[in-house]
Amino acid sequence: MADAISGPSYLYNLLANELSVALYGDLDKTSENMGALTMMTIKDRKAAAAAAGPSSSEAPVDTSASARDSDTVFPKLESIGYQVGQRLIERLTKEHARFKDELDRMKFVCTDLWKYLYDKQIDTLRTNNQGTYVFTDNLFRPLAFFSAEGVDQYYPQSGRFIAFPCGIIRGALSALGIRCTVSAKVLSVTCCVFEVVVERT
Amino acid sequence: MALCIGVMGAENQPLLIKISPNIQDPIKFHFMLHSALDVVEEKSQPLPKTPGSISGADLRELYLGLLYPSSDEVRVYGYCANTRMKMILIVEASNTTLRDNEIRTMFRRLHVAYSNMIMNPFYDVGQPISSKSFHDFVDSMIAAFGVGKLVNPTLYSVEMEYFEDVPTLTGIRLLLRS
């Protein structure tokens, strides 16, 4: 298992492929920037966050575009995440013993998958035992380096960075045999809550 | 040795079926693959809770082992990944050099090849596999394990002919060798 979780290089290969296939040409500049941001490694993000300090005034410029984008770009990014999650999970579960039940699979997503993607585990996993699971990540990596000045500075924009992780969760779970819908909420700039509702048929 | 390799998707749809080119009646192998899927399904189900049972420990493994009690002609092995991707391998029963461990290794290599293949963005998960490298890999796996004598079609018919005349097994073996 330690071998399989060696680093997110596969993720970035896939991301680059999927993003270029799906987003090629038919999105405006704002969305491409968004894709590029999502692709950065954590190290890159640190550097970018440091660099973004002075140029942060650019960020609010795209607020007018964001409303227009959100309808088309979110499902698109989400479906990209779905593809990525679905493919990654095959590799990650290769050496893993057969899963016992649904909770076992959820735990795998919260621990192993999350560790592979973001170098940390989900902080809490809660369930009502009726098919709703809530993952809370108190320091969600894609948002972890946002708070440049003032906690709420980028809060309005932070929502757009969770579509992709939502898709990854949905893809991973569907590959493991759980059909579900995933929604997410950003509570504060670094804290993100994912809600997974399993579809019962 | 390896006569047939089948890869099936999560919904039991065939993704790739390769049958050794020396085989005369591929239909029979398709039939065997499909009936093997039922056994795979059964074996990969979560178990009823019986703590401490030996079979319970076995079933946590992805490799499912021999699917049927071995018949005279072939042995059928199964493997079911966590993503419900299934692989079935049919080898000759006469081949005694292939042990459980070798079969396990073959499955593991196949699984690695599959998980590499699935990284291809042009491949849609769950669709029939068209990737050339994966095809080549499976071909090489079939070729590397060759095809033994008994299944060679010409010899096979010889065996059948002589079966009426020479009732003893040793007699058949001798005739085949000559």
Side-chain angles (χ1 to χ4, degrees), chain A residues 12 37-38 40-53 56 59 117-120 138-151 153-155 158 161 186 188-191:
Chain A
Y12 296 115
L37 260 180
T38 326
M40 286 184 205
T41 61
I42 290 163
K43 212 189 291 170
D44 289 342
R45 251 183 242 128
K46 253 184 209 162
S56 60
L117 292 173
Y118 303 119
D119 274 340
K120 75 186 282 292
N138 290 324
L139 192 65
F140 187 47
R141 293 291 175 165
L143 309 178
F145 304 103
F146 274 26
S147 50
E149 341 163 354
V151 184
Q153 187 184 7
Y154 297 121
Y155 180 68
S158 57
F161 295 95
V186 181
S188 72
V189 164
T190 57
C191 175

Side-chain angles (χ1 to χ4, degrees), chain A residues 15-144:
Chain A
L15 261 178
N17 288 336
E18 293 290 345
L19 277 175
S20 52
V21 169
L23 300 181
Y24 182 71
D26 65 337
L27 287 185
D28 59 22
K29 205 159 167 282
T30 325
S31 326
E32 274 170 23
N33 283 343
M34 198 162 82
L37 260 180
T38 326
M39 274 210 307
M40 286 184 205
T41 61
I42 290 163
K43 212 189 291 170
D44 289 342
R45 251 183 242 128
K46 253 184 209 162
S55 65
S56 60
S57 54
E58 283 173 26
V61 174
D62 59 16
T63 41
S64 57
S66 69
R68 179 161 47 85
D69 282 343
S70 59
D71 287 344
T72 57
V73 176
F74 265 55
K76 195 159 258 176
L77 267 177
E78 205 267 355
S79 75
I80 294 173
Y82 179 81
Q83 292 291 334
V84 173
Q86 209 180 14
R87 288 160 203 261
L88 267 181
I89 208 76
E90 182 74 53
R91 185 175 290 277
L92 295 185
T93 58
K94 210 164 50 190
E95 307 291 328
H96 199 280
R98 193 178 305 289
F99 292 113
K100 283 198 297 279
D101 51 14
E102 200 174 271
L103 186 62
D104 212 14
R105 293 178 169 90
M106 292 291 173
K107 276 185 194 156
F108 181 85
V109 170
C110 290
T111 56
D112 295 50
L113 175 68
W114 222 248
K115 229 174 186 169
Y116 177 81
L117 292 173
Y118 303 119
D119 274 340
K120 75 186 282 292
Q121 299 184 359
I122 289 269
D123 292 307
T124 54
L125 163 65
R126 272 173 298 162
T127 175
N128 65 354
N129 289 320
Q130 284 166 1
T132 305
Y133 295 82
V134 178
F135 305 169
T136 313
D137 193 338
N138 290 324
L139 192 65
F140 187 47
R141 293 291 175 165
L143 309 178

Side-chain angles (χ1 to χ4, degrees), chain A residues 10 14 17-18 21 83 86-91 93-100 104 174-177, chain B residues 44 46 59-62 64 79-85 111-112 114-116 118-121 123 125:
Chain A
Y10 295 119
L14 278 163
N17 288 336
E18 293 290 345
V21 169
Q83 292 291 334
Q86 209 180 14
R87 288 160 203 261
L88 267 181
I89 208 76
E90 182 74 53
R91 185 175 290 277
T93 58
K94 210 164 50 190
E95 307 291 328
H96 199 280
R98 193 178 305 289
F99 292 113
K100 283 198 297 279
D104 212 14
S174 97
L176 293 176
Chain B
S44 56
L59 282 184
R60 294 292 312 265
E61 212 194 327
L62 303 181
L64 299 172
Y79 184 100
C80 181
N82 276 314
T83 53
R84 292 165 303 144
M85 182 271 294
H111 197 176
V112 170
Y114 176 81
S115 60
N116 286 339
I118 210 174
M119 292 281 159
N120 176 2
Y123 173 70
V125 179

